[in-house]
Amino acid sequence: MTAVPYGAAMITGDLAATEAGVAPATIRKWVQLGRLAPAGKRGRAQLYRLEDVFAAERAVRGRLH
């Protein structure tokens, strides 16, 4: 995992899915495929930087059009 800049929005996979407009399984698939990397953990839950989620979503949507 990489260092997270101070003040970066860290969100759970479920919230990441909601923000990106995809299913939670899609977030897990992006991680599996290397399109998104967790930036931390809270208990057992992986946390993601909101900007990384949006970047992954833009990259995937760009491939679809």
Side-chain angles (χ1 to χ4, degrees):
M1 291 184 212
T2 60
V4 178
Y6 179 76
M10 300 282 285
I11 58 174
T12 64
D14 286 344
L15 184 54
T18 299
E19 290 294 325
V22 299
T26 301
I27 297 296
R28 292 190 298 272
K29 189 61 148 180
W30 289 351
V31 171
Q32 182 182 25
L33 295 173
R35 294 184 180 141
L36 179 63
K41 289 186 102 176
R42 182 184 310 138
R44 290 178 35 185
Q46 291 183 327
L47 300 176
Y48 305 92
R49 291 181 343 144
L50 186 56
E51 58 211 40
D52 292 344
V53 173
F54 288 147
E57 187 264 341
R58 280 192 306 271
V60 170
R61 298 229 190 264
R63 293 179 194 183
L64 298 176
H65 297 205

